[in-house]
Coordinates of all heavy atoms in Angstrom, one line a residue:
M1279 N 124.3 148.1 75.0 CA 124.1 149.5 74.7 C 123.0 150.1 75.5 O 122.9 151.3 75.7 CB 123.8 149.6 73.2 CG 124.9 149.4 72.3 SD 124.8 149.7 70.5 CE 123.4 150.8 70.4
R1280 N 122.1 149.2 76.1 CA 121.0 149.7 76.8 C 120.9 149.1 78.2 O 121.4 148.0 78.4 CB 119.7 149.5 76.1 CG 119.6 150.2 74.8 CD 118.3 149.9 74.1 NE 118.2 150.5 72.8 CZ 117.7 151.7 72.6 NH1 117.3 152.5 73.6 NH2 117.7 152.2 71.3
D1281 N 120.3 149.8 79.2 CA 120.2 149.3 80.5 C 119.0 148.3 80.6 O 118.3 148.1 79.6 CB 120.1 150.4 81.5 CG 118.9 151.3 81.4 OD1 118.0 150.9 80.7 OD2 119.0 152.4 81.9
A1282 N 118.6 147.9 81.8 CA 117.5 146.9 81.9 C 116.2 147.6 81.6 O 115.2 146.8 81.2 CB 117.5 146.4 83.4
E1283 N 116.1 148.9 81.7 CA 114.8 149.6 81.3 C 114.8 150.0 79.8 O 113.8 150.6 79.4 CB 114.6 150.8 82.1 CG 114.3 150.6 83.6 CD 115.5 150.2 84.4 OE1 116.6 150.7 84.2 OE2 115.3 149.2 85.2
G1284 N 115.8 149.6 79.1 CA 115.8 149.9 77.6 C 116.4 151.3 77.3 O 116.4 151.7 76.1
Q1285 N 116.9 152.0 78.3 CA 117.5 153.3 78.0 C 119.0 153.2 77.6 O 119.7 152.3 78.1 CB 117.5 154.2 79.3 CG 116.0 154.5 79.8 CD 115.2 155.2 78.7 OE1 115.6 156.2 78.2 NE2 114.0 154.6 78.5
L1286 N 119.4 154.1 76.7 CA 120.8 154.0 76.2 C 121.7 154.3 77.4 O 121.4 155.2 78.2 CB 121.0 155.1 75.1 CG 120.4 154.7 73.8 CD1 120.5 155.9 72.8 CD2 121.0 153.5 73.1
L1287 N 122.8 153.6 77.4 CA 123.8 153.9 78.4 C 124.6 155.2 78.2 O 124.6 155.7 77.1 CB 124.8 152.7 78.5 CG 124.2 151.4 78.9 CD1 125.2 150.3 78.7 CD2 123.7 151.4 80.3
P1288 N 125.1 155.8 79.2 CA 125.9 157.1 79.0 C 127.0 156.9 78.0 O 127.7 155.9 77.9 CB 126.5 157.3 80.4 CG 125.6 156.5 81.4 CD 125.1 155.3 80.6
G1289 N 127.1 158.0 77.2 CA 128.1 158.0 76.1 C 127.7 157.4 74.8 O 128.4 157.4 73.9
I1290 N 126.5 156.8 74.7 CA 126.0 156.2 73.5 C 124.8 157.0 72.9 O 123.9 157.3 73.6 CB 125.5 154.7 73.7 CG1 126.7 153.9 74.3 CG2 125.0 154.1 72.5 CD1 126.3 152.5 74.7
T1291 N 125.0 157.4 71.7 CA 123.9 158.1 71.0 C 123.5 157.3 69.7 O 124.4 156.8 69.0 CB 124.5 159.5 70.5 OG1 124.9 160.2 71.7 CG2 123.4 160.3 69.8
V1292 N 122.2 157.2 69.5 CA 121.7 156.5 68.3 C 120.7 157.5 67.6 O 120.0 158.2 68.2 CB 120.9 155.3 68.8 CG1 120.3 154.6 67.6 CG2 121.8 154.3 69.5
E1293 N 120.9 157.5 66.3 CA 120.0 158.3 65.4 C 119.5 157.6 64.2 O 120.3 156.9 63.5 CB 120.8 159.6 65.0 CG 120.1 160.5 64.1 CD 121.0 161.7 63.7 OE1 121.2 162.6 64.6 OE2 121.5 161.7 62.6
D1294 N 118.3 157.7 63.9 CA 117.7 157.0 62.7 C 118.3 157.8 61.5 O 118.5 159.0 61.5 CB 116.2 157.1 62.7 CG 115.6 156.4 61.6 OD1 115.6 155.1 61.6 OD2 115.2 157.0 60.6
M1295 N 118.5 157.0 60.4 CA 119.1 157.6 59.2 C 118.0 158.4 58.4 O 118.3 159.1 57.5 CB 119.7 156.6 58.3 CG 121.0 156.1 58.9 SD 121.9 154.9 57.8 CE 122.5 156.0 56.6
G1296 N 116.8 158.2 58.8 CA 115.7 158.9 58.1 C 115.3 158.2 56.8 O 115.7 157.1 56.5
T1297 N 114.5 158.9 56.0 CA 114.0 158.4 54.8 C 115.1 158.3 53.7 O 115.8 159.3 53.5 CB 112.8 159.2 54.2 OG1 111.8 159.3 55.3 CG2 112.2 158.6 53.0
K1298 N 115.2 157.2 53.1 CA 116.2 157.0 52.0 C 115.4 156.9 50.7 O 114.2 156.8 50.6 CB 117.0 155.7 52.3 CG 117.7 155.7 53.6 CD 118.4 154.4 53.9 CE 117.5 153.2 54.2 NZ 116.7 153.3 55.4
T1299 N 116.2 157.0 49.6 CA 115.5 156.9 48.3 C 115.0 155.5 48.0 O 114.0 155.3 47.3 CB 116.5 157.3 47.1 OG1 117.7 156.5 47.2 CG2 116.9 158.7 47.2
V1300 N 115.7 154.4 48.5 CA 115.2 153.0 48.4 C 115.5 152.3 49.7 O 116.2 152.8 50.5 CB 115.9 152.3 47.2 CG1 115.5 152.9 45.9 CG2 117.4 152.3 47.3
A1301 N 115.0 151.1 49.8 CA 115.3 150.2 50.9 C 114.9 150.8 52.3 O 115.6 150.6 53.3 CB 116.7 149.8 50.9
N1302 N 113.7 151.5 52.3 CA 113.3 152.0 53.6 C 112.8 151.0 54.6 O 112.6 151.2 55.8 CB 112.2 153.1 53.4 CG 112.8 154.4 53.0 OD1 113.6 155.0 53.7 ND2 112.5 154.8 51.7
D1303 N 112.6 149.7 54.1 CA 112.3 148.7 55.0 C 113.4 148.2 55.8 O 113.3 147.4 56.8 CB 111.7 147.5 54.2 CG 112.6 147.0 53.1 OD1 113.4 147.8 52.6 OD2 112.6 145.8 52.8
L1304 N 114.7 148.6 55.5 CA 115.8 148.2 56.3 C 116.0 149.2 57.4 O 115.8 150.4 57.3 CB 117.1 148.2 55.4 CG 117.1 147.3 54.2 CD1 118.4 147.5 53.4 CD2 117.0 145.9 54.7
D1305 N 116.3 148.6 58.6 CA 116.5 149.4 59.8 C 117.9 149.9 59.9 O 118.8 149.2 60.4 CB 116.1 148.6 61.0 CG 116.0 149.4 62.3 OD1 115.9 150.7 62.1 OD2 116.0 148.9 63.3
N1306 N 118.2 151.1 59.4 CA 119.5 151.7 59.4 C 119.6 152.8 60.4 O 118.7 153.5 60.5 CB 120.0 152.2 58.0 CG 120.1 151.1 57.0 OD1 120.6 150.0 57.3 ND2 119.6 151.3 55.8
A1307 N 120.7 152.9 61.1 CA 120.9 154.0 62.1 C 122.4 154.3 62.2 O 123.3 153.6 61.7 CB 120.4 153.5 63.4
R1308 N 122.6 155.5 62.8 CA 124.0 155.9 63.1 C 124.1 155.7 64.6 O 123.2 155.9 65.4 CB 124.2 157.4 62.8 CG 124.1 157.7 61.3 CD 124.2 159.2 61.1 NE 124.1 159.5 59.7 CZ 123.0 160.0 59.2 NH1 121.9 160.2 59.9 NH2 122.9 160.3 57.9
V1309 N 125.3 155.3 65.0 CA 125.6 155.1 66.4 C 126.9 155.8 66.7 O 127.9 155.6 66.0 CB 125.7 153.6 66.8 CG1 126.0 153.4 68.2 CG2 124.5 152.8 66.4
W1310 N 127.0 156.5 67.8 CA 128.2 157.2 68.3 C 128.5 156.7 69.7 O 127.6 156.5 70.5 CB 127.9 158.7 68.4 CG 127.8 159.4 67.1 CD1 128.8 160.0 66.4 CD2 126.6 159.7 66.4 NE1 128.3 160.6 65.3 CE2 127.0 160.4 65.2 CE3 125.3 159.4 66.6 CZ2 126.0 160.8 64.3 CZ3 124.4 159.8 65.6 CH2 124.7 160.5 64.5
F1311 N 129.8 156.5 69.9 CA 130.3 156.1 71.2 C 131.3 157.2 71.7 O 132.2 157.5 71.0 CB 131.0 154.8 71.1 CG 130.2 153.7 70.7 CD1 130.1 153.3 69.4 CD2 129.4 153.0 71.6 CE1 129.3 152.2 68.9 CE2 128.5 151.9 71.2 CZ 128.5 151.6 69.8
D1312 N 131.0 157.8 72.9 CA 131.8 158.8 73.4 C 132.3 158.4 74.8 O 131.6 158.3 75.7 CB 131.0 160.1 73.5 CG 131.9 161.3 74.0 OD1 133.1 161.3 73.8 OD2 131.3 162.2 74.6
K1313 N 133.6 158.1 74.8 CA 134.3 157.6 76.1 C 133.6 156.4 76.7 O 133.4 156.3 77.9 CB 134.3 158.8 77.1 CG 135.2 159.9 76.6 CD 135.2 161.1 77.5 CE 136.0 162.2 76.9 NZ 135.6 163.5 77.4
V1314 N 133.2 155.4 75.8 CA 132.6 154.2 76.2 C 133.6 153.1 76.2 O 134.3 152.9 75.2 CB 131.4 153.9 75.3 CG1 130.8 152.5 75.6 CG2 130.4 154.9 75.3
R1315 N 133.7 152.4 77.3 CA 134.6 151.2 77.4 C 133.8 150.0 77.5 O 132.9 149.9 78.3 CB 135.6 151.4 78.6 CG 136.5 152.6 78.4 CD 137.5 152.7 79.6 NE 138.3 151.6 79.7 CZ 139.5 151.5 79.2 NH1 140.0 152.4 78.4 NH2 140.2 150.4 79.3
L1316 N 134.2 149.0 76.7 CA 133.5 147.7 76.8 C 134.5 146.6 77.2 O 135.7 146.7 76.9 CB 133.0 147.3 75.4 CG 131.9 148.2 74.8 CD1 131.7 147.8 73.4 CD2 130.7 148.2 75.6
P1317 N 134.0 145.6 77.9 CA 134.9 144.5 78.2 C 135.3 143.7 76.9 O 134.6 143.7 75.9 CB 134.1 143.6 79.1 CG 132.7 143.9 78.8 CD 132.7 145.4 78.4
K1318 N 136.5 143.1 76.9 CA 137.0 142.4 75.7 C 136.0 141.3 75.2 O 135.9 141.0 74.0 CB 138.4 141.9 75.9 CG 139.4 142.9 76.0 CD 140.8 142.3 76.2 CE 141.8 143.4 76.3 NZ 143.2 142.9 76.6
D1319 N 135.3 140.7 76.2 CA 134.4 139.6 75.8 C 133.1 140.1 75.1 O 132.4 139.4 74.6 CB 134.0 138.8 77.0 CG 133.3 139.5 78.0 OD1 133.0 140.7 77.9 OD2 132.9 138.8 79.0
A1320 N 133.0 141.5 75.0 CA 131.8 142.0 74.2 C 132.2 142.3 72.8 O 131.3 142.8 72.0 CB 131.4 143.3 74.9
M1321 N 133.4 142.1 72.4 CA 133.9 142.4 71.0 C 133.2 141.4 70.0 O 133.1 140.2 70.3 CB 135.4 142.3 70.9 CG 136.1 143.4 71.6 SD 137.9 143.2 71.6 CE 138.2 143.0 69.9
L1322 N 133.0 141.9 68.8 CA 132.6 141.0 67.7 C 133.9 140.7 67.0 O 134.4 141.4 66.2 CB 131.7 141.8 66.7 CG 130.3 142.3 67.3 CD1 129.6 143.1 66.3 CD2 129.5 141.1 67.8
N1323 N 134.4 139.5 67.3 CA 135.8 139.2 66.9 C 135.8 137.9 66.1 O 136.5 137.0 66.5 CB 136.6 139.1 68.2 CG 136.1 138.1 69.2 OD1 135.0 137.6 69.1 ND2 136.9 137.8 70.2
K1324 N 135.2 137.9 65.0 CA 135.2 136.8 64.1 C 136.6 136.6 63.5 O 137.1 135.4 63.3 CB 134.2 136.9 62.9 CG 134.2 135.8 62.0 CD 133.1 136.0 60.9 CE 133.1 134.8 59.9 NZ 132.1 135.0 58.9
F1325 N 137.3 137.6 63.1 CA 138.6 137.5 62.4 C 139.8 137.9 63.3 O 140.9 137.5 63.0 CB 138.6 138.5 61.2 CG 137.5 138.1 60.2 CD1 136.4 138.8 60.1 CD2 137.7 137.0 59.3 CE1 135.4 138.4 59.2 CE2 136.8 136.7 58.4 CZ 135.6 137.4 58.4
A1326 N 139.6 138.6 64.4 CA 140.7 139.0 65.2 C 140.3 139.2 66.6 O 139.1 139.3 67.0 CB 141.3 140.3 64.6
D1327 N 141.3 139.3 67.5 CA 141.0 139.5 68.9 C 142.1 140.4 69.5 O 143.1 140.7 68.8 CB 141.1 138.2 69.6 CG 140.3 138.1 70.9 OD1 139.8 139.2 71.3 OD2 140.1 137.1 71.5
V1328 N 141.9 140.9 70.7 CA 143.0 141.6 71.4 C 143.4 140.8 72.6 O 142.6 140.5 73.4 CB 142.4 143.0 71.9 CG1 143.5 143.7 72.7 CG2 142.0 143.9 70.7
R1329 N 144.7 140.4 72.6 CA 145.2 139.6 73.6 C 146.4 140.3 74.2 O 147.4 140.6 73.4 CB 145.5 138.2 73.1 CG 144.3 137.4 72.6 CD 144.7 136.0 72.2 NE 143.5 135.4 71.6 CZ 143.5 134.5 70.7 NH1 144.7 134.0 70.2 NH2 142.4 134.0 70.2
E1330 N 146.4 140.5 75.5 CA 147.6 141.2 76.1 C 147.9 142.5 75.4 O 149.0 142.8 75.1 CB 148.8 140.2 76.2 CG 148.5 139.0 77.0 CD 149.7 138.0 77.0 OE1 150.8 138.4 76.6 OE2 149.5 136.9 77.4
D1331 N 146.8 143.2 75.1 CA 146.9 144.5 74.4 C 147.6 144.5 73.0 O 148.2 145.4 72.6 CB 147.7 145.5 75.3 CG 146.9 145.8 76.6 OD1 145.6 145.9 76.5 OD2 147.5 146.0 77.6
A1332 N 147.5 143.3 72.4 CA 148.0 143.2 71.0 C 146.9 142.7 70.1 O 146.1 141.8 70.5 CB 149.2 142.3 71.0
Y1333 N 146.8 143.2 68.9 CA 145.9 142.7 67.8 C 146.4 141.3 67.3 O 147.5 141.2 66.9 CB 145.9 143.7 66.7 CG 145.1 143.3 65.5 CD1 143.7 143.5 65.5 CD2 145.7 142.7 64.4 CE1 143.0 143.2 64.3 CE2 145.0 142.4 63.3 CZ 143.6 142.6 63.3 OH 142.9 142.2 62.2
V1334 N 145.5 140.3 67.4 CA 145.9 139.0 67.0 C 144.8 138.4 66.0 O 143.6 138.4 66.4 CB 146.0 138.1 68.2 CG1 146.3 136.6 67.8 CG2 147.0 138.6 69.2
Q1335 N 145.2 138.0 64.9 CA 144.3 137.3 63.9 C 144.0 136.0 64.5 O 144.9 135.2 64.9 CB 144.9 137.2 62.6 CG 144.0 136.7 61.5 CD 144.5 136.8 60.1 OE1 145.2 137.7 59.8 NE2 144.1 135.8 59.3
T1336 N 142.7 135.6 64.5 CA 142.3 134.3 65.2 C 142.0 133.2 64.2 O 141.7 132.1 64.6 CB 141.1 134.6 66.1 OG1 140.0 135.2 65.3 CG2 141.4 135.5 67.2
T1337 N 141.9 133.5 62.9 CA 141.6 132.5 61.9 C 142.5 132.6 60.7 O 143.2 133.6 60.6 CB 140.1 132.6 61.4 OG1 140.0 133.8 60.6 CG2 139.1 132.6 62.5
D1338 N 142.5 131.6 59.9 CA 143.3 131.7 58.6 C 142.6 132.5 57.6 O 143.2 133.0 56.7 CB 143.5 130.3 58.1 CG 144.5 129.5 58.9 OD1 145.3 130.1 59.6 OD2 144.5 128.3 58.9
E1339 N 141.2 132.7 57.8 CA 140.4 133.5 56.9 C 140.7 135.0 57.2 O 140.6 135.4 58.3 CB 139.0 133.1 57.0 CG 138.0 133.9 56.1 CD 136.6 133.6 56.4 OE1 136.3 132.9 57.4 OE2 135.7 134.1 55.6
R1340 N 141.0 135.7 56.1 CA 141.2 137.2 56.3 C 140.0 137.9 55.7 O 139.4 137.5 54.7 CB 142.5 137.6 55.6 CG 143.7 137.1 56.3 CD 144.9 137.6 55.5 NE 146.1 137.1 56.1 CZ 146.8 137.8 57.0 NH1 146.4 139.0 57.4 NH2 147.9 137.3 57.5
M1341 N 139.7 139.1 56.4 CA 138.7 140.0 55.8 C 139.5 140.9 54.9 O 139.9 142.0 55.3 CB 138.0 140.7 56.9 CG 136.8 141.5 56.4 SD 135.7 140.6 55.5 CE 134.2 141.3 55.9
R1342 N 139.6 140.5 53.6 CA 140.4 141.2 52.7 C 139.6 142.4 52.1 O 138.4 142.4 52.1 CB 140.8 140.3 51.5 CG 141.6 139.1 52.0 CD 142.0 138.2 50.8 NE 140.9 138.0 49.9 CZ 139.9 137.1 50.0 NH1 139.9 136.3 51.1 NH2 139.0 136.9 49.1
I1343 N 140.4 143.4 51.6 CA 139.8 144.6 51.1 C 138.9 144.2 49.9 O 137.9 144.9 49.6 CB 140.8 145.6 50.7 CG1 140.2 147.0 50.3 CG2 141.7 145.2 49.6 CD1 139.5 147.7 51.5
E1344 N 139.3 143.1 49.1 CA 138.5 142.7 48.0 C 137.1 142.3 48.4 O 136.1 142.5 47.7 CB 139.2 141.6 47.2 CG 140.5 141.9 46.7 CD 141.7 141.7 47.7 OE1 141.5 141.0 48.7 OE2 142.8 142.2 47.4
V1345 N 137.0 141.6 49.6 CA 135.8 141.1 50.1 C 134.9 142.3 50.5 O 133.7 142.3 50.1 CB 136.0 140.1 51.3 CG1 134.7 139.8 51.9 CG2 136.8 138.9 50.8
I1346 N 135.5 143.2 51.2 CA 134.7 144.4 51.6 C 134.2 145.2 50.4 O 133.1 145.6 50.3 CB 135.6 145.3 52.5 CG1 136.0 144.6 53.8 CG2 134.9 146.6 52.8 CD1 137.0 145.2 54.6
G1347 N 135.1 145.4 49.4 CA 134.8 146.1 48.2 C 133.7 145.4 47.4 O 132.7 146.1 46.9
Q1348 N 133.7 144.1 47.3 CA 132.7 143.3 46.6 C 131.3 143.5 47.3 O 130.3 143.7 46.6 CB 133.0 141.9 46.5 CG 132.0 141.0 45.7 CD 131.9 141.5 44.3 OE1 132.8 141.9 43.6 NE2 130.6 141.6 43.8
R1349 N 131.3 143.5 48.6 CA 130.0 143.6 49.3 C 129.5 145.0 49.1 O 128.3 145.2 48.9 CB 130.2 143.4 50.8 CG 130.5 141.9 51.1 CD 130.7 141.7 52.6 NE 131.0 140.3 52.8 CZ 131.4 139.8 54.0 NH1 131.6 140.6 55.0 NH2 131.7 138.5 54.1
L1350 N 130.3 146.0 49.1 CA 129.8 147.4 48.9 C 129.3 147.5 47.4 O 128.2 148.1 47.2 CB 130.9 148.4 49.1 CG 131.4 148.6 50.6 CD1 132.6 149.4 50.6 CD2 130.2 149.2 51.4
L1351 N 130.0 147.0 46.5 CA 129.6 147.1 45.1 C 128.3 146.4 44.8 O 127.4 146.9 44.2 CB 130.7 146.5 44.2 CG 130.3 146.4 42.7 CD1 130.1 147.9 42.1 CD2 131.4 145.7 41.9
T1352 N 128.1 145.2 45.4 CA 126.9 144.4 45.2 C 125.7 145.2 45.8 O 124.7 145.3 45.1 CB 127.0 143.1 45.9 OG1 128.1 142.4 45.4 CG2 125.8 142.3 45.8
G1353 N 125.9 145.8 46.9 CA 124.8 146.6 47.5 C 124.5 147.8 46.7 O 123.3 148.1 46.4
R1354 N 125.5 148.5 46.1 CA 125.2 149.7 45.3 C 124.5 149.3 44.0 O 123.7 150.0 43.5 CB 126.5 150.4 45.0 CG 126.9 151.2 46.3 CD 128.3 151.8 46.2 NE 128.6 152.7 47.3 CZ 128.8 152.3 48.5 NH1 128.8 151.0 48.8 NH2 129.1 153.2 49.5
L1355 N 124.9 148.1 43.4 CA 124.3 147.6 42.2 C 122.8 147.3 42.4 O 122.0 147.6 41.6 CB 125.0 146.4 41.6 CG 126.4 146.7 41.0 CD1 127.1 145.4 40.7 CD2 126.3 147.6 39.8
A1356 N 122.5 146.7 43.6 CA 121.1 146.4 43.9 C 120.3 147.6 44.1 O 119.2 147.7 43.6 CB 121.1 145.6 45.2
I1357 N 120.9 148.7 44.7 CA 120.2 149.9 44.8 C 119.9 150.6 43.5 O 118.8 151.1 43.2 CB 120.9 150.9 45.8 CG1 120.9 150.3 47.2 CG2 120.4 152.3 45.7 CD1 121.8 151.0 48.2
A1358 N 120.9 150.6 42.6 CA 120.8 151.2 41.3 C 119.7 150.4 40.5 O 118.9 151.0 39.8 CB 122.1 151.1 40.6
E1359 N 119.7 149.1 40.6 CA 118.7 148.3 39.9 C 117.3 148.6 40.4 O 116.3 148.6 39.6 CB 119.0 146.8 40.1 CG 118.1 145.9 39.3 CD 118.3 145.9 37.8 OE1 119.4 146.3 37.4 OE2 117.3 145.6 37.1
A1360 N 117.1 148.9 41.6 CA 115.8 149.2 42.2 C 115.4 150.7 42.0 O 114.3 151.0 42.3 CB 115.8 148.9 43.7
S1361 N 116.3 151.5 41.4 CA 116.0 152.9 41.3 C 114.8 153.2 40.4 O 114.7 152.6 39.3 CB 117.2 153.6 40.7 OG 116.9 154.9 40.4
P1362 N 113.9 154.0 40.9 CA 112.7 154.3 40.1 C 113.0 155.1 38.8 O 112.2 155.2 37.9 CB 111.8 155.1 41.0 CG 112.7 155.6 42.1 CD 113.8 154.6 42.2
S1363 N 114.2 155.7 38.8 CA 114.6 156.6 37.6 C 115.1 155.7 36.5 O 115.3 156.2 35.4 CB 115.6 157.6 38.0 OG 116.8 156.9 38.4
R1364 N 115.2 154.4 36.7 CA 115.7 153.6 35.6 C 114.7 153.5 34.5 O 113.5 153.1 34.7 CB 116.0 152.2 36.2 CG 116.6 151.2 35.1 CD 117.0 149.9 35.8 NE 117.4 149.0 34.8 CZ 116.8 147.8 34.6 NH1 115.8 147.5 35.3 NH2 117.3 147.0 33.7
P1365 N 115.1 153.8 33.3 CA 114.1 153.7 32.2 C 113.6 152.3 31.9 O 114.4 151.4 32.0 CB 114.8 154.3 31.0 CG 116.3 154.2 31.3 CD 116.4 154.2 32.8
R1366 N 112.3 152.2 31.6 CA 111.8 150.9 31.2 C 111.5 150.8 29.8 O 111.0 151.8 29.2 CB 110.5 150.6 32.0 CG 110.6 150.8 33.5 CD 111.1 149.5 34.1 NE 111.1 149.6 35.5 CZ 112.0 149.0 36.3 NH1 113.0 148.4 35.8 NH2 111.9 149.1 37.6
L1367 N 111.9 149.8 29.1 CA 111.6 149.6 27.7 C 110.4 148.7 27.4 O 110.1 147.8 28.1 CB 112.9 149.1 27.0 CG 114.1 149.9 27.1 CD1 115.3 149.2 26.5 CD2 113.9 151.3 26.5

């Protein structure tokens, strides 16, 4: 994403998400790609790959919607638990 001097490459934009209600110690950002092409060997391809212009699953393990949903739910529950508006008894 960056050149040897640390500058963003053309077509890549990065923006900090700013102050959040909780978890400000996490480094979150937004990233945009505009007409950026990457070589296939730069892909994060734990579950799938592109071979001869076709999507190919590379493992027996699938990234199921249930797994994605559980990760999202767990994160939201942790944020709710940390909320300063939660009443204390």
